[in-house]
Amino acid sequence: MVFWPLLRVAQAAVALQALLGMVLLAQGHRPADDLHVLYGIAALVVNLVAEGMRAGVAQRELAELGDEFVLDDLPEDEQLALARRIARGELGVMTIATLLVLTLVLRAWQTGG
């Protein structure tokens, strides 16, 4: 699947842009609108929160199976179904987060200059 490598590249780009913005602020450069900084920081925070939510998807799916659950005890078709549910949940969380980050980045770009 191409989504995950592209997502990681996009997340790295957002982190680099935020770092560059912090360096520019430290050097005394100010954007035309202070909202630009807020949108940039919000995009970074959304990425971090989304990663935590993504990890929570698997934890919730496994918690529903009970404390004494052993993956190897499940039949193979149920293991695959569990893996698909986790993958779909993670993909959903990260897709929504990516759309939100894209919106924030576009707003930052619009207010930046």
Side-chain angles (χ1 to χ4, degrees):
M1 183 179 280
V2 170
F3 177 80
W4 294 105
L6 288 177
L7 174 68
R8 297 304 179 214
V9 168
Q11 286 176 324
V14 168
L16 280 170
Q17 285 291 323
L19 180 63
L20 178 61
M22 288 181 223
V23 168
L24 289 171
L25 280 174
Q27 292 175 347
H29 298 281
R30 304 293 297 171
D33 188 341
D34 286 337
L35 277 176
H36 177 79
V37 176
L38 180 65
Y39 287 132
I41 292 170
L44 192 60
V45 169
V46 167
N47 270 330
L48 294 172
V49 169
E51 284 298 328
M53 290 175 67
R54 184 188 63 80
V57 168
Q59 290 173 347
R60 281 189 302 277
E61 285 291 335
L62 295 174
E64 288 179 10
L65 296 173
D67 292 336
E68 297 175 18
F69 161 74
V70 177
L71 185 61
D72 292 336
D73 291 346
L74 284 178
E76 186 176 336
D77 60 331
E78 289 184 37
Q79 289 180 18
L80 289 172
L82 175 63
R84 284 188 186 108
R85 283 195 312 270
I86 291 171
R88 274 195 306 268
E90 289 180 346
L91 188 62
V93 166
M94 296 313 290
T95 299
I96 291 169
T98 300
L99 292 172
L100 181 54
V101 168
L102 175 62
T103 302
L104 291 166
V105 167
L106 289 174
R107 287 297 297 148
W109 177 62
Q110 290 173 336
T111 60

